[in-house]
């Protein structure tokens, strides 16, 4: 029996949590225990079954409010067939691996209500469970008019999820807002829809212009209004769904938008969007159902889409509201950043850009001296581009790292621009999972960058031990994913993700570094055309071919790094030359990481292979989508 733990008076559409009697059907004991513990912590009564036969016995003894089923397990389809023949319909959430979409199709053909992809994100699972329990609880008595499970069959949830996943937020939050607007408008058969982001600091609701049958040149200007105004403000204040038959008959309706645009609002469906903690983060407002007022069926569909829109809305904006103006995250465009010096340059040009090679004796001779207030203590590393010192900031009394380019680097205009670009790029990010920038300067013609000191890298760990413990591997990739997501939100593409560019602080937290190749999507780099930039073992096929790249190329490189950390070797380690590696990245199937490391979890190998898909459209579409699966894998290790 579904119960409302908020004890809200009857007749209101409350957002308070509902608790129910749930059954988890999962053959893997560890996963079964993790899911049960997570759902139990939310107040649900949870029983488990390791097989479809055991599940039938549990269901026959007493009904359940909802079932979470592993659709990849033996007997899962026969269990769904059996459930479909029972007198009492039971909603089912089917879980399947991302690369087994046919199982989800088969499950929906057998009447499942919703689905999850493995590894299961516990937050998403909690939201979808709550959404279904709310639909089945029938707080407004709508079940007499329409059956919730029948109403949900009209929407294609996997297709909607694909739309949301592909709506990259790299150009600001507007892209995600427009996608959500389109989804709601089409699913609810309306003329217009608009999703508002709630800014609690300014108590404002913000969105791009409501979508309808607009022309391609529509620029979708920003709309911002007081969060107490209009029907959207009323839904936010009441924290419940409003279904208005005629907006002009409701005194809360604000007609200003109609007066300015010539649009005529009639029926309105308005509902709040909540994050995983139950806090309101936005409002969805759908206008003018094409076939009369919004119905009970419309409310059911809206309720199911609300959790998806809320999750997408939460990921479309920065998580640090004090650090970034929320309005800017909606309307910001990608900065046009030129590229900088590359790790590997392969070109058909007869002459290449000059490579700065420092005098090998010069760095050592500088130890014990000062660069302004920075006392140089030791050399952390050196390469063809320069040297990295460990130093002490004598003014602030802290240890720092100083990256110095070779002699006279500050006097070569191209190199100077590239170096300053890296400094400004990293300074703009200012994210816990990217290396912090403290200062930049020039000494005797050599440019230097003062950075947060990290004493190791993921690459160093591999060199020291050959492999990295699985939980630590996941933590490092999660941290890098967070830093990469922050860069992508600002329109930046790193272009050189690899183990050596993931630094580790004293607590072992990963921090993305070396933005020397960072640039905006599809802009031209300073080094010229027809050049391949990056590190071959981790480069995407499009990057290997010197084609335009976007943020999904970084996700491929992070997948290659994940492969290396998880197995102890990069994907095409058996090739000896750069040309062979580039050719393999473009044309050969990625080796199975599970074959190289048999103890690697099956869901982990699926995540790695999705990152390393040859076509960008077949990969994860955002760093946040990848992050959710990495976090799900981490959650499982904590249960183990």
């Amino acid at each position: 029996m579904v119960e409302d733990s908020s004890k809200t008076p009857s007749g209101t559409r409350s957002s308070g949590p509902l608790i129910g009697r749930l059954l988890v059907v999962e053959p893997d004991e560890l996963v079964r225990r993790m899911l049960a513990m997570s759902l139990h912590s939310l107040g649900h009564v949870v029983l488990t079954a390791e097989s479809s036969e055991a599940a039938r016995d549990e269901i026959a003894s007493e009904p359940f409010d909802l079932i979470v089923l592993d659709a990849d397990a033996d007997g899962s389809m026969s269990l769904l067939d059996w459930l479909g023949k029972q007198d009492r319909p039971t909603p089912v959430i089917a879980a399947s691996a991302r690369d087994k979409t046919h199982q989800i199709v088969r499950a929906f053909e057998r009447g499942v209500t919703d689905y999850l992809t493995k590894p299961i994100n516990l937050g998403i699972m909690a939201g979808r469970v709550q959404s279904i329990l709310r639909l089945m609880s029938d707080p407004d008595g709508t079940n007499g008019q329409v059956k919730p499970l029948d109403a949900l069959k009209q929407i294609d949830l996997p297709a909607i999820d694909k739309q949301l996943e592909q709506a990259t937020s790299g150009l600001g939050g507007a892209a995600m807002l427009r996608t959500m607007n389109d989804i709601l408008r089409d699913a609810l058969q309306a003329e217009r829809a608009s999703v508002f982001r709630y800014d609690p600091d300014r108590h404002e609701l913000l969105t791009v212009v409501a979508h309808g049958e607009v022309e391609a040149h529509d620029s979708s200007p920003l709309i911002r209004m007081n969060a107490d105004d209009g029907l959207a403000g009323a839904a936010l204040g009441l924290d419940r769904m409003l279904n208005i038959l005629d907006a002009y008959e409701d005194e809360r309706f604000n007609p200003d938008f109609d007066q300015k645009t010539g649009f005529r609002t009639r029926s309105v469906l308005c509902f709040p969007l909540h994050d995983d903690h139950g806090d309101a983060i936005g409002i969805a407002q759908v206008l003018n159902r094409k076939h009369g007022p919004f119905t009970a069926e419309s409310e059911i569909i809206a309720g199911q889409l609300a959790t998806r829109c809320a999750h997408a809305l939460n990921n479309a904006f920065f998580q640090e509201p004090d650090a970034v103006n929320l309005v800017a995250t909606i309307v910001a465009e990608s900065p046009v950043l030129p590229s900088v010096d590359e790790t590997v340059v392969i070109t058909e040009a007869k002459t290449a850009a000059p490579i700065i090679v420092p005098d090998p004796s010069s760095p050592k001779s500088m130890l014990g001296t000062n660069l302004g207030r920075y006392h140089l203590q030791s050399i952390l590393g050196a390469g063809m581009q320069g040297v990295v010192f460990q130093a002490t900031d004598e003014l602030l009394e802290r240890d720092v790292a100083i990256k110095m380019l070779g002699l006279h680097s500050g006097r070569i205009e191209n190199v100077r621009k590239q170096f300053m670009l890296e400094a400004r790029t990293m300074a703009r990010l200012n994210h816990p999972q990217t290396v912090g920038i403290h200062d930049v300067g020039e000494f005797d013609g050599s440019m230097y960058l003062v950075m947060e000191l990290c004493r190791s890298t993921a690459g160093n760990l591999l060199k020291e031990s050959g492999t990295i413990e699985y939980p630590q591997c996941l933590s490092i990739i999660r941290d890098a994913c967070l830093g990469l997501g922050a860069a992508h939100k600002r329109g930046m593409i790193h272009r050189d993700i690899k183990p050596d560019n993931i630094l580790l602080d004293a607590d072992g937290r990963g921090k993305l570094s070396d933005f020397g190749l960072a640039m905006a999507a599809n802009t031209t780099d300073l080094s010229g055309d027809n050049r391949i930039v990056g590190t071959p073992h981790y480069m995407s096929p499009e990057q290997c071919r010197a084609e335009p790249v976007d943020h999904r190329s970084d996700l491929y490189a992070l997948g290659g790094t994940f492969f290396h950390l998880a197995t102890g070797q990069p994907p095409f380690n058996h090739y000896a030359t750069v040309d062979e590696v580039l050719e393999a990245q473009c044309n050969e199937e990625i080796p199975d990481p599970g074959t190289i490391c048999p103890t690697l979890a099956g869901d982990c190998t699926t995540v790695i292979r999705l990152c390393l898909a040859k076509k960008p459209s077949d990969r994860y579409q955002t760093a946040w989508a990848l992050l959710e699966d990495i976090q799900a894998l981490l959650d499982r290790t904590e249960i183990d």
Side-chain angles (χ1 to χ4, degrees):
M1 181 69 177
V2 176
E3 297 179 0
D4 189 340
S5 62
S6 66
K7 299 181 180 179
T8 304
S10 177
T12 62
R13 182 64 63 92
S14 166
S15 62
L18 296 175
I19 58 175
R21 188 169 186 270
L22 314 181
L23 177 64
V24 174
V25 186
E26 167 61 56
D28 187 306
E29 180 181 0
L30 179 60
V31 177
R32 188 168 67 247
R33 187 152 48 98
M34 177 187 71
L35 299 181
M37 290 174 61
S38 176
L39 293 169
H40 180 74
S41 70
L42 300 174
H44 301 295
V45 177
V46 185
L47 279 72
T48 64
E50 64 179 353
S51 66
S52 58
E53 292 78 11
R56 291 192 193 195
D57 293 340
E58 293 287 357
I59 296 167
S61 64
E62 188 174 350
F64 289 87
D65 296 312
L66 187 146
I67 298 171
V68 179
L69 170 68
D70 184 343
D72 299 333
D74 293 340
S76 59
M77 296 301 137
S78 62
L79 177 60
L80 290 174
D81 290 335
W82 179 79
L83 285 169
K85 298 175 183 177
Q86 305 308 300
D87 294 334
R88 181 183 184 274
T90 303
V92 178
I93 298 178
S96 180
R98 284 182 177 270
D99 57 352
K100 295 183 178 179
T101 54
H102 62 284
Q103 289 295 91
I104 292 298
V105 172
R106 294 178 65 199
F108 271 105
E109 289 173 348
R110 288 163 171 79
V112 301
T113 311
D114 208 335
Y115 78 106
L116 295 163
T117 54
K118 295 189 289 187
I120 295 174
N121 180 291
L122 299 180
I124 292 178
M125 178 181 69
R128 294 184 183 177
V129 166
Q130 189 64 209
S131 175
I132 293 172
L133 291 180
R134 190 164 302 284
L135 292 178
M136 301 304 292
S137 68
D138 192 29
D140 294 330
T142 58
N143 283 1
Q145 306 170 47
V146 62
K147 295 180 179 179
L149 299 185
D150 290 341
L152 294 180
K153 292 178 181 178
Q154 299 184 35
I155 53 177
D156 187 342
L157 293 176
I160 287 171
D161 289 338
K162 189 69 172 178
Q163 281 182 267
L164 291 172
E165 188 176 349
Q166 291 178 338
T168 173
S169 57
L171 298 178
M176 185 63 79
L177 286 173
R178 293 189 190 101
T179 298
M180 287 187 281
N181 293 347
D182 291 342
I183 288 170
L184 290 171
R185 180 198 64 203
D186 295 342
L188 293 166
Q189 303 176 36
E191 292 181 7
R192 287 184 179 268
S194 192
V195 173
F196 294 84
R197 173 72 180 193
Y198 175 50
D199 184 349
D201 293 335
R202 296 172 177 81
H203 195 55
E204 287 184 332
L205 292 172
L206 308 109
T207 189
V208 290
V209 70
H211 268 203
E213 303 299 331
V214 294
E215 298 296 329
H217 64 268
D218 178 52
S219 59
S220 295
L222 180 73
I223 295 175
R224 55 192 301 174
M225 66 183 192
N226 187 288
D228 294 324
D229 289 349
L231 292 172
L236 180 69
L238 294 170
D239 199 27
R240 65 182 180 91
M241 183 180 292
L242 300 179
N243 188 347
I244 308 300
L245 300 181
D246 187 340
Y248 281 86
E249 295 295 323
D250 194 303
E251 62 182 10
R252 298 168 295 187
F253 175 63
N254 184 346
D256 287 351
F257 179 78
D258 282 10
Q259 293 170 1
K260 292 177 181 178
T261 64
F263 184 76
R264 175 60 166 86
T265 301
R266 299 185 302 277
S267 55
V268 179
L269 191 64
C270 203
F271 49 95
L273 305 174
H274 301 90
D275 63 15
D276 293 343
H277 304 292
D279 298 325
I281 59 171
I283 291 289
Q285 184 169 268
V286 191
L287 308 179
N288 294 1
R289 185 170 179 268
K290 294 180 179 179
H291 306 291
F294 291 101
T295 63
E297 187 176 82
S298 303
E299 294 183 18
I300 290 170
I301 293 172
Q304 185 70 349
L305 295 179
T307 56
R308 282 169 159 79
C309 289
H311 185 74
L313 185 65
N314 201 41
N315 285 344
F317 297 88
F318 293 103
Q319 304 302 308
E320 305 86 1
D322 294 336
V324 180
N325 185 317
L326 182 56
V327 176
T329 70
I330 295 178
V331 300
E333 296 181 355
S334 299
V336 179
L337 301 177
S339 175
V340 292
D341 204 11
E342 51 273 9
T343 304
V344 172
V345 178
I346 303 171
T347 177
E348 296 179 1
K350 294 181 179 179
T351 59
I355 297 176
I356 306 302
V357 182
D359 181 351
S361 63
S362 180
K364 291 183 180 179
S365 68
M366 295 179 68
L367 295 180
T369 65
N370 276 49
L371 288 178
R373 72 187 205 225
Y374 305 107
H375 183 71
L376 304 183
Q377 296 178 331
S378 62
I379 295 175
L380 296 175
M384 294 184 66
Q385 294 183 2
V387 62
V388 179
F389 294 98
Q390 179 175 333
T392 299
D393 183 337
E394 295 179 331
L395 180 62
L396 298 179
E397 297 183 346
R398 63 179 176 183
D399 289 336
V400 296
I402 297 181
K403 177 180 179 180
M404 175 175 279
L405 290 192
L407 296 175
H408 311 302
S409 57
R411 298 168 187 167
I412 302 174
E413 185 63 22
N414 194 41
V415 174
R416 185 184 184 91
K417 285 183 179 179
Q418 292 170 342
F419 190 75
M420 289 305 300
L421 174 62
E422 177 179 5
R424 289 168 181 151
T425 299
M426 296 177 71
R428 283 191 191 103
L429 286 176
N430 189 29
H431 188 276
Q433 264 58 61
T434 60
V435 174
I437 297 300
H438 302 319
D439 198 3
V440 65
E442 184 175 343
F443 174 77
D444 197 21
S446 295
M447 301 294 297
Y448 67 86
L449 186 65
V450 183
M451 306 179 293
E452 172 186 4
L453 177 64
C454 294
R455 300 181 186 276
S456 186
T457 69
N460 286 342
L461 290 184
L462 289 169
K463 293 170 187 174
E464 292 167 3
S465 60
T467 58
I468 296 177
E469 292 293 327
Y470 181 59
Q472 186 180 16
C473 166
L474 292 176
S475 295
I476 291 172
I477 295 299
R478 175 199 59 194
D479 293 342
C481 205
L482 285 165
L484 191 59
H488 289 171
K489 281 181 179 292
R490 289 164 172 81
M492 300 172 186
I493 304 170
H494 189 285
R495 299 201 301 169
D496 198 19
I497 305 292
K498 58 183 178 180
D500 285 339
N501 284 343
I502 303 175
L503 276 57
L504 304 176
D505 67 11
D507 296 321
R509 290 187 293 262
K511 292 175 176 284
L512 203 57
S513 180
D514 206 342
F515 283 79
L517 294 180
M519 63 183 293
N522 298 333
T523 55
T524 302
D525 65 79
L526 286 175
S527 56
D529 297 328
N530 200 30
R531 297 166 67 90
I532 299 175
V533 294
T535 304
H537 275 301
Y538 313 98
M539 285 163 51
S540 67
E542 61 270 25
Q543 195 172 0
C544 291
R545 292 189 290 262
E547 296 173 351
V549 299
D550 61 18
H551 61 284
R552 293 171 295 185
S553 181
D554 281 346
L555 298 180
Y556 185 99
L558 188 57
T561 300
F562 194 0
F563 189 112
H564 195 167
L565 267 59
T567 67
Q569 64 184 55
F572 297 109
N573 193 47
H574 51 288
Y575 288 114
T577 69
V578 168
D579 286 344
E580 288 175 330
V581 173
L582 294 175
E583 178 70 20
Q585 295 282 26
C586 293
N587 300 312
E588 291 189 20
E589 285 295 317
I590 295 295
D592 183 3
T595 301
I596 300 171
C597 181
T599 60
L600 201 60
D603 286 344
C604 181
T605 63
T606 299
V607 171
I608 293 173
R609 293 177 71 85
L610 278 169
C611 290
L612 294 171
K614 298 298 183 187
K615 295 181 180 179
S617 60
D618 291 338
R619 298 172 202 152
Y620 288 96
Q621 296 302 295
T622 65
W624 303 115
L626 172 58
L627 178 63
E628 288 172 354
D629 282 358
I630 298 297
Q631 188 59 56
L633 292 172
L634 268 170
D635 291 339
R636 185 182 302 183
T637 64
E638 293 172 1
I639 299 295
D640 193 0

